Amino acid sequence: MDNTPILELKNISMRFRSVQALKDVDFDLREGEVHALVGENGAGKSTMMRILAGIYNDYEGTYIFGGKPVRFRNPHDALEQGIGMIHQELSVIPSLTVAENLYLGRQPLTRWGMVDWRKMRQNAEKELEHLGFNLDVQRNLEQYPLGTQQVVEVLRAIVSGAHVLIMDEPTSALSPAEVEELLALVDRLREQKRSIIYISHFLEEVLHVADRITILRNGEKIATLTREEASMNTLISLILGREVDYTPRGHHEIRSDTHKLLEVKGLTADVFQNIDFDIGEGEIVGLYGAIGAGHFDLARALFGLYTFDSGTIAVDGQVFPPKHSARYAIDHGLSYATESRRKSLLMDHAIYRNVTMPHLKHIGRYIPTQDQELAIATPVIQKVNVVPPDPMNPVGKLSGGNQQKVAIARWLTFPPKVFITSEPTRGMDVGAKNEVLNILRQFRNDGFGVLVVSSEPETVLAIADRVLVMSRGQIVARMVNENLDKDALMRLI
Ligand SMILES: Nc1ncnc2c1ncn2[C@@H]1O[C@H](COP(=O)(O)OP(=O)(O)OP(=O)(O)O)[C@@H](O)[C@H]1O
Ligand SMILES: [Mg+2]
């Protein structure tokens, strides 16, 4: 492999007011290389990538591209030079066709200045064939699964001329099969001599796909390893810079005679049918399914955010009225943290406000003062270890994983009887994942019921006492979490 870098960062530093996001970082990327970037939540990964992609240009230090120092004014500037960034939030438009998505904003025109649909279709087919994909370019993108939409997002950057591709947590919302599809695409792009920077918290994925791995901690570069030098253990200790206290999974005694905190009978809606299960005091139930199995909507239905047609939900023996609201659910002991933190958090509002928001009426008879709210929020913000721990910061300024901690922290103030959480550790680093799982275990040990809804087999296996597997809207298996492994779970869906 040619070792001359196509891009290089030298002594890059970047500050956001009180936060030093990057300190004197060096980095380089070679042609035809997959260079992974790993580090704890808030380590500075996305910041560094935004500099590379021209989103931030008020950094200190030198950015060398194609042998010359550059300072891109904006992402468009960077893309002109062949540097494209794929964001975690998809920017493709599901209601447009595959071809339209590939050429969004740069459609081929006829000589009359109209969109040349035929040419666009033919170009799209040619490009896809060249990249080894077989999609009907005239179908709307929404008819394809999320994994394919993510692939189209990547292909669009390629079609726009990107030779260097920056992927920031591209697989965090994908199911295992879709992850494989995306990793296969990455391999193919490498064969075409494109260069890829790959950010992920899934270290197995990183070890599988990367040629080199750079570790950031607290805004500083800790090391760059080749794949041969790296192992799971070296990566974890370099990422964290400390030992993690791993609580071994399983072996929580399951008793059938416990008081039932949640009882669900015959729950039926358009996307799930005849769902029966219960959760006892001091029990964590994992609800596992592939994306689209109906498990996320089932969680929403329990909380009053998704309409169901029949069946009953009872919490602590009390049956909910049909069409209950989320407010009713909260008041009767249920709480719910969605898989989509963008929907549940007020990004422009302070952290403390996001924590107290669902509880304002419990805090006092009158509208609480800021001091009262801070008194409630500060301890839980510390408990989940939000970094930086300033409760006055807007949530939108936190890194992805720290936003997730806020979404969980809000339910620690007035603990519910049953806590429902979808993808509780999505986007979190190894240390933070462990912290959140310990918080959930603490809930259980305090006698609450916990429902963890997830499409990540690892998450369910790490936390659940019992596992329910959902497929096409039905519960197809119920198991105690002993001697289960990932393959066994995945075979059931
Ligand atoms: N626009 C901003 N304003 C203020 N602070 C910011 C901003 N963007 C990032 N930060 C801070 O800079 C630091 C680095 O954040 P960054 O988003 O780069 O982390 P990350 O490594 O991508 O984390 P994650 O794995 O959680 O996505 C964090 O402390 C974050 O709070
Ligand atoms: Mg990030």
Side-chain angles (χ1 to χ4, degrees), residues 138-293:
Q138 284 178 293
R139 260 171 78 179
N140 280 358
L141 191 56
E142 63 202 353
Q143 296 174 14
Y144 285 104
L146 193 67
T148 309
Q149 299 187 22
Q150 178 73 269
V151 165
V152 169
E153 179 99 26
V154 176
L155 297 179
R156 185 170 76 182
I158 305 277
V159 169
S160 327
H163 201 77
V164 170
L165 275 161
I166 300 170
M167 302 190 185
D168 195 345
E169 297 187 47
T171 59
S172 62
L174 303 186
S175 62
E178 294 171 332
V179 172
E180 302 242 318
E181 189 180 0
L182 191 87
L183 293 179
L185 172 61
V186 169
D187 278 335
R188 219 168 301 153
L189 296 174
R190 168 171 38 209
E191 281 161 23
Q192 298 180 348
K193 290 280 171 220
R194 292 178 208 265
S195 307
I196 293 159
I197 306 177
Y198 193 91
I199 300 183
S200 178
H201 291 294
F202 295 102
L203 301 179
E204 271 178 42
E205 228 171 84
V206 165
L207 286 166
H208 172 81
V209 79
D211 298 300
R212 288 191 298 159
I213 303 166
T214 287
I215 299 108
L216 288 183
R217 192 194 314 144
N218 275 331
E220 290 182 86
K221 181 179 130 172
I222 300 300
T224 299
L225 307 177
T226 63
R227 183 192 351 210
E228 291 72 36
E229 291 166 335
S231 70
M232 201 66 155
N233 284 337
T234 43
L235 283 183
I236 292 177
S237 57
L238 288 171
I239 288 170
L240 298 176
R242 58 183 150 83
E243 295 297 313
V244 211
D245 158 36
Y246 274 111
T247 315
R249 74 176 214 216
H251 275 67
H252 180 77
E253 194 193 343
I254 307 213
R255 297 173 28 202
S256 52
D257 58 344
T258 52
H259 175 60
K260 299 283 174 259
L261 285 178
L262 176 71
E263 288 166 287
V264 177
K265 289 204 181 95
L267 211 63
T268 298
D270 51 356
V271 293
F272 51 80
Q273 294 82 38
N274 277 317
I275 302 295
D276 288 315
F277 71 95
D278 46 49
I279 302 180
E281 268 174 357
E283 187 179 39
I284 301 179
V285 172
L287 180 62
Y288 169 72
I291 289 163

Side-chain angles (χ1 to χ4, degrees), residues 14-22 37-50 56 88 168-169 199-201 216 218-219 341 387-388 393-403 427-429:
M14 172 118 190
R15 245 194 123 73
F16 298 102
R17 296 214 277 163
S18 61
V19 180
Q20 183 82 44
L22 293 172
L37 190 61
V38 299
E40 280 187 286
N41 297 127
K45 304 179 296 294
S46 297
T47 303
M48 189 166 126
M49 293 308 107
R50 288 183 187 133
Y56 296 148
Q88 194 188 327
D168 195 345
E169 297 187 47
I199 300 183
S200 178
H201 291 294
L216 288 183
N218 275 331
R341 50 179 178 260
V387 182
N393 260 344
V395 163
K397 294 272 157 80
L398 292 176
S399 75
N402 281 290
Q403 292 176 5
M428 294 195 152
D429 66 60

